[in-house]
């Protein structure tokens, strides 16, 4: 068993960490030098998270450390635990060693994830649409943006960049533009001709063919 160890600075750290991280984080200090795993807690803040208080017993990790004080223990960082009443916690256990390297205590941090998990689930539900496979549609703010959006969508529907399109591809894209009302936008014709590298006469020809096509 280790000789008496001064935990005063660790107790100050418990209070400081609790102040820093707020009421959703339990900070607990275990003294393992007493040999009794049922009474190891010598300082605790926000104990309402686990329902523990000073004088209560240790966690499983602390109990295991007490059983094998000479065994090398690695700190356990950011692992999940659960309280008796079902709270999910993100926990960290730091082993405190004396000058001889023996484990004399454990500093534990237990962050209650209940609220953040509930918010995460709510946000996931809120951000999920009925059509989960479609791309998000851009919200346009003016007719110029609208025309640009429709042209980009027509290129996506054609399945290849405008520079690589053949006549069939361009007619397909122009048909979409016509059905979407792109030609109602003032001076849309010249811009569409520029994008697809066609003359205005070819555009009218393709537009006529597009109107004659059926699905």
């Amino acid at each position: 068993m280790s000789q008496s160890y001064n935990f005063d600075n660790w107790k100050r750290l418990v209070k400081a960490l609790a102040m820093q991280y707020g009421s959703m984080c339990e900070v607990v200090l275990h003294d393992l030098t007493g040999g009794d795993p049922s009474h190891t807690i010598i300082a605790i803040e926000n104990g309402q998270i686990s329902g523990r208080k000073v004088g209560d017993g240790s966690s499983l990790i602390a109990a295991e450390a007490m059983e094998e004080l000479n065994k090398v223990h690695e700190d356990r960082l950011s692992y999940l635990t659960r309280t008796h009443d079902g709270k999910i916690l993100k926990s960290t256990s730091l082993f405190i060693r004396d000058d001889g390297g023996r484990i004399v205590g454990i500093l534990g941090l237990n962050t209650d994830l209940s609220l953040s998990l509930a918010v995460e689930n709510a946000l996931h539900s809120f951000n999920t649409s009925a059509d989960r496979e479609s791309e998000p549609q851009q919200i346009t703010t003016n007719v110029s943006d609208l025309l640009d959006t429709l042209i980009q969508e027509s290129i996506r529907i054609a399945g290849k960049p405008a520079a690589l399109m053949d006549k069939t591809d361009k007619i397909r894209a122009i048909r979409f533009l016509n059905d979407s009302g792109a030609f109602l936008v003032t001076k849309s014709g010249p811009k569409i001709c520029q994008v697809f590298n066609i003359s205005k006469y070819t555009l009218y020809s393709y537009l006529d063919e597009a109107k004659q096509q059926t699905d």
Side-chain angles (χ1 to χ4, degrees):
M1 181 183 301
S2 297
Q3 297 178 351
S4 177
Y5 182 85
N6 189 340
F7 286 95
D8 287 348
N9 286 334
W10 289 97
K11 290 179 179 179
R12 292 172 57 207
L13 182 59
V14 167
K15 187 172 291 293
L17 288 173
M19 290 292 292
Q20 177 70 21
Y21 293 111
S23 62
M24 303 303 291
C25 181
E26 177 188 77
V27 188
V28 58
L29 180 62
H30 296 278
D31 178 359
L32 305 185
T33 63
D36 184 357
S38 62
H39 300 288
T40 60
I41 297 178
I42 58 174
I44 187 169
E45 296 289 334
N46 301 320
Q48 74 280 355
I49 291 176
S50 67
R52 296 180 296 176
K53 62 186 185 301
V54 170
D56 284 346
S58 61
S59 64
L60 177 60
I61 292 176
E64 291 175 345
M66 291 186 69
E67 291 178 3
E68 303 178 78
L69 290 177
N70 292 319
K71 183 178 179 180
V72 175
H73 284 76
E74 297 291 337
D75 293 335
R76 294 194 60 188
L77 308 178
S78 192
Y79 60 98
L80 295 181
T81 56
R82 185 190 299 270
T83 65
H84 67 280
D85 58 354
K87 296 188 188 78
I88 302 298
L89 311 179
K90 183 167 69 172
S91 299
T92 286
S93 299
L94 302 177
F95 291 98
I96 303 169
R97 299 176 185 274
D98 62 14
D99 293 340
R102 291 171 58 85
I103 296 173
V104 294
I106 294 177
L107 178 68
L109 288 83
N110 303 299
T111 302
D112 186 359
L113 300 182
S114 302
L115 180 58
S116 60
L117 288 173
V119 171
E120 180 181 346
N121 290 334
L123 287 174
H124 177 74
S125 176
F126 182 79
N127 291 334
T128 301
S129 66
D131 185 3
R132 300 186 180 185
E133 297 183 356
S134 65
E135 291 293 324
Q137 297 182 4
Q138 180 177 341
I139 298 177
T140 56
T141 58
N142 56 59
V143 291
S144 178
D145 289 342
L146 174 60
L147 180 59
D148 290 340
T149 299
L150 292 176
I151 290 174
Q152 290 303 315
E153 182 65 12
S154 72
I155 293 173
R156 188 190 69 80
I157 289 174
K160 62 183 69 172
L164 300 180
M165 291 183 188
D166 57 21
K167 176 181 177 180
T168 301
D169 298 324
K170 292 178 179 179
I171 290 175
R172 184 181 181 192
I174 289 170
R175 181 185 177 194
F176 167 80
L177 292 172
N178 181 66
D179 292 343
S180 301
F183 292 100
L184 298 177
V185 178
T186 303
K187 297 182 180 180
S188 59
K191 186 165 189 175
I192 293 171
C193 288
Q194 181 181 13
V195 171
F196 294 105
N197 194 26
I198 56 178
S199 68
K200 66 177 181 179
Y201 301 104
T202 302
L203 174 61
Y204 296 146
S205 175
Y206 286 178
L207 188 54
D208 287 338
E209 290 189 51
K211 290 177 179 178
Q212 294 172 9
Q213 292 180 0
T214 58
D215 291 327

